[in-house]
Amino acid sequence: MIAPTTPFERLTPADLPACSALALDREWPREERKWRFLMAVGEVHALRDPDGGLAGTVVLTRYRAELIAVSMVLVAARFTRQGLGKRLMRHAIDQADGATLALTATAQGLGLYQQLGFTSHGRIQSHRGRFQAEPGAAGHSRPATPADLTAILELDLAVFGADRSPVLRRLHAFAEHLRVIEVDGGLAGFAAAWRNDDHLVLGPVVAQRPELAQALLTDLALEAGEAGVRIDVDDVHTGLTEWVVARGLTPGFAPTIMTHGGRLPADRSRLYSPLMQALG
Ligand SMILES: CC(C)(COP(=O)(O)OP(=O)(O)OC[C@H]1O[C@@H](n2cnc3c(N)ncnc32)[C@H](O)[C@@H]1OP(=O)(O)O)[C@@H](O)C(=O)NCCC(=O)NCCS
């Protein structure tokens, strides 16, 4: 039992092994790099188990313009259905201070979020596997350079609808590949690939048109070589989902996009894939 008076703590990098242990306890992957990145760009709030380890976590990443991405809502299996999930989420709502909260809900979390007033806005469809590129499809994008950053941030602000520049500025260091695509000399899209456990995640993918998103994904997947890739696609883009499956990837889980206290500010017609579900 965790006492209702047990205070929340802000975790530090010294707690990363405990975060991964909690994830494994709930049969989630270890994802150490992801936890480390989330801790660098956001806040990991947790309840500790007095007997050792973590009882629960919730991660908040604050974007300017009143949007907070909520992620890693986890309760240790030994404390299931004792009200900790609700306590974590009430804490997140208390921290919002008027901002909209956004998250992607697993089937287990959905009911809890609905009870707390979150509303649904579609799904993110995940895919995993080896990407088989069409012959001749590659080579339409190029690696990003530091000189592209201003244009990337401008396009992202217009598409994401909230300022995630503190996160994107770290992409060069966090991602293995960052590519841009140009049309008539102007930036028309960008995408990254970053390593998570044994595979590369392709995301974010932001582009003015679907064929530009496909070109970016093709080049990133080819750079991944033999490594398996993961591509998550916002389900407003049914055409891209079909395209990804036609290139050999298998659809996996598809959590629900939910918000509390407002709507998503994003122009989802140009936002194909999140950087990671935890961040949008
Ligand atoms: C989802 C999770 C955080 C809930 O934590 P919890 O401490 O067990 O939840 P609570 O005890 O606060 O439950 C609050 C309400 O949520 C709903 N709920 C919780 N777990 C549920 C489940 N497995 N299935 C359906 N509804 C569930 C119930 O309505 C519950 O109220 P009740 O017990 O009075 O019926 C926990 O099951 C977990 O860590 N799951 C694995 C990771 C995950 O999927 N996290 C969500 C990420 S979006």
Side-chain angles (χ1 to χ4, degrees):
M1 209 38 203
I2 299 295
T5 50
T6 303
F8 279 89
E9 289 184 37
R10 279 282 296 278
L11 299 189
T12 70
D15 297 302
L16 285 168
C19 294
S20 287
L22 176 64
L24 291 171
D25 176 67
R26 293 314 305 243
E27 294 172 359
W28 278 21
R30 183 179 295 276
E31 302 189 311
E32 282 171 0
R33 286 196 79 229
K34 176 172 153 186
W35 278 100
R36 187 176 291 281
F37 190 69
L38 288 172
M39 202 172 269
V41 297
E43 307 157 13
V44 183
H45 297 246
L47 292 168
R48 284 191 200 277
D49 178 356
D51 294 330
L54 298 173
T57 53
V58 57
V59 176
L60 306 178
T61 310
R62 297 173 196 271
Y63 296 122
R64 269 169 267 157
E66 290 92 43
L67 182 69
I68 298 178
V70 179
S71 63
M72 311 316 258
V73 181
L74 282 159
V75 170
R78 59 194 180 280
F79 297 117
T80 276
R81 293 308 259 274
Q82 294 178 22
L84 287 193
K86 199 174 277 180
R87 205 175 148 205
L88 290 169
M89 288 310 298
R90 288 217 168 105
H91 176 72
I93 291 167
D94 288 349
Q95 302 289 308
D97 198 21
T100 298
L101 300 177
L103 54 75
T104 53
T106 60
Q108 279 188 9
L110 196 66
L112 168 61
Y113 304 136
Q114 281 167 342
Q115 271 181 30
L116 293 171
F118 280 75
T119 51
S120 306
H121 311 281
R123 285 167 173 257
I124 299 278
Q125 177 64 57
S126 67
H127 308 84
R128 284 284 295 271
R130 293 258 179 90
F131 186 96
Q132 292 139 24
E134 261 179 298
H140 296 293
S141 68
R142 65 164 171 83
T145 72
D148 294 310
L149 184 63
T150 306
I152 288 175
L153 296 182
E154 267 174 27
L155 176 61
D156 194 72
L157 184 58
V159 173
F160 192 72
D163 180 3
R164 55 175 177 172
S165 57
V167 172
L168 294 182
R169 280 178 201 281
R170 291 172 183 264
L171 258 191
H172 250 299
F174 179 64
E176 290 196 4
H177 308 286
L178 176 59
R179 298 190 72 92
V180 294
I181 194 158
E182 290 167 315
V183 173
D184 298 331
L187 188 97
F190 70 94
W194 58 276
R195 184 157 297 282
N196 194 24
D197 293 336
D198 61 349
H199 60 279
L200 278 184
V201 179
L202 307 194
V205 181
V206 171
Q208 302 287 21
R209 296 196 299 273
E211 63 273 22
L212 301 175
Q214 292 171 5
L216 286 161
L217 286 168
T218 299
D219 288 343
L220 286 172
L222 287 174
E223 278 180 312
E226 289 299 296
V229 297
R230 170 171 164 176
I231 304 177
D232 292 359
V233 180
D234 187 315
D235 74 354
V236 298
H237 297 288
T238 46
L240 189 67
T241 299
E242 286 161 14
W243 180 87
V244 164
V245 171
R247 270 142 203 85
L249 273 70
T250 306
F253 61 98
T256 305
I257 301 164
M258 301 185 95
T259 62
H260 182 282
R263 293 187 68 80
L264 277 181
D267 169 4
R268 286 166 71 188
S269 70
R270 293 185 289 166
L271 184 61
Y272 293 85
S273 301
L275 166 51
M276 57 181 77
Q277 291 191 2
L279 287 174

